[in-house]
Amino acid sequence: MRNILLTIAFDGKNYCGFQVQKNAVSVAERVQDAIERVTGVRSDIKGCSRTDSGVHAEMFCISFFTDCALSEEKLCRALDAVLPKDIAALECREVPQDFHARYSCKGKKYRYRIWNGRSKNPFLQGRAYEYFKRCDEEKMDRAARLIEGTRDFSAFMAAGSSVEDRVRTVTQCRCERCGDEIVITVAADGFLYNMVRIIVGTLLWVSEGKIAPEDIPAIIESKDRSKAGPTASAEGLYLSEVYYER
């Protein structure tokens, strides 16, 4: 049996997230369908992350075992051919037997897209958060940089999570404008439940003047979810990169 690391990209607009769920179509279900069509076996797959309904991925990693004899390149092309149009197979690579897409992961990077034009953008429906108040990206970026570092990010975790260790290292947090689009980038060794979306909501509070950039350290130190901003919409969130030790 070979352990295969499959890298995919997907538009999450039509899915309930990655994880298989009852009475809803997931990305995992469609990937398992494709693997079964190509190899004849419905494999147990391990995803690098859980994603909420509507979240997208430019890079998402999955590991699974197979005795399929196809080369890595042919396996990737075969999977890509049978996956739906909103899921692409980018690469297949054989990895060590103890490799696990989630537990071997050393970090991830997310991008959050905000459409900040005066009118809606029909080409970004379901793929960016529409926010029509003019964003102050300079203030947002100053605030974002104060999020970087190793600390307890309980203030940026949604209710409902059972995670006890809430210390994470954010290696990058930036906000920049490109025309009418605002892009917030967050990279870390791990993320709490809805952490990026709460960071985005908090940075939008900064833009609106509800809090100052200099308030960010105190919000983090409080470990109090009620001190941070709202949870931004899922549709603007993209898993952008996944990091492993080669």
Side-chain angles (χ1 to χ4, degrees), residues 4-39:
I4 299 295
L5 172 61
L6 167 65
T7 303
I8 65 172
F10 60 82
D11 180 340
K13 186 168 56 176
N14 297 319
Y15 298 101
C16 65
F18 175 75
Q19 292 292 117
V20 173
Q21 297 182 29
K22 293 181 179 179
N23 305 318
V25 179
S26 68
V27 174
E29 182 181 350
R30 290 291 178 254
V31 172
Q32 286 180 303
D33 291 344
I35 293 173
E36 185 173 15
R37 286 185 62 183
V38 172
T39 69

Side-chain angles (χ1 to χ4, degrees), residues 181-209:
E181 187 171 332
I182 300 289
V183 178
I184 296 169
T185 303
V186 187
D189 61 353
F191 291 89
L192 301 173
Y193 182 45
N194 282 347
M195 180 172 165
V196 178
R197 292 166 59 188
I198 296 170
I199 287 174
V200 172
T202 305
L203 295 181
L204 288 174
W205 265 12
V206 170
S207 179
E208 294 171 4

Side-chain angles (χ1 to χ4, degrees), residues 54 58 74 149 218 239 245:
E58 297 166 317
K74 288 183 178 179
L239 177 55
E245 288 183 359

Side-chain angles (χ1 to χ4, degrees), residues 44-112:
D44 178 28
I45 63 176
K46 309 298 182 184
C48 64
S49 177
R50 294 173 179 267
T51 62
D52 290 333
S53 177
V55 174
H56 315 287
E58 297 166 317
M59 177 183 183
F60 191 97
C61 295
I62 297 164
S63 57
F64 66 96
F65 284 92
T66 180
D67 59 3
C68 177
L70 289 175
S71 69
E72 295 168 342
E73 176 65 22
K74 288 183 178 179
L75 178 58
C76 182
R77 297 283 67 81
L79 291 173
D80 192 52
V82 298
L83 282 165
K85 291 183 178 180
D86 51 8
I87 305 176
L90 306 179
E91 181 187 33
C92 283
R93 182 156 53 92
E94 188 167 354
V95 289
Q97 293 287 303
D98 61 353
F99 180 91
H100 189 290
R102 180 180 178 187
Y103 299 127
S104 299
C105 180
K106 300 302 180 183
K108 305 182 187 78
K109 179 188 288 186
Y110 284 89
R111 292 194 314 134
Y112 193 94

Side-chain angles (χ1 to χ4, degrees), residues 140-164:
M140 292 170 71
D141 188 58
R142 290 207 311 273
R145 292 169 184 265
L146 293 173
I147 294 172
E148 294 176 353
T150 302
R151 47 182 67 94
D152 185 320
F153 283 100
S154 294
F156 293 147
M157 185 183 75
S161 174
S162 60
V163 174
E164 294 184 3

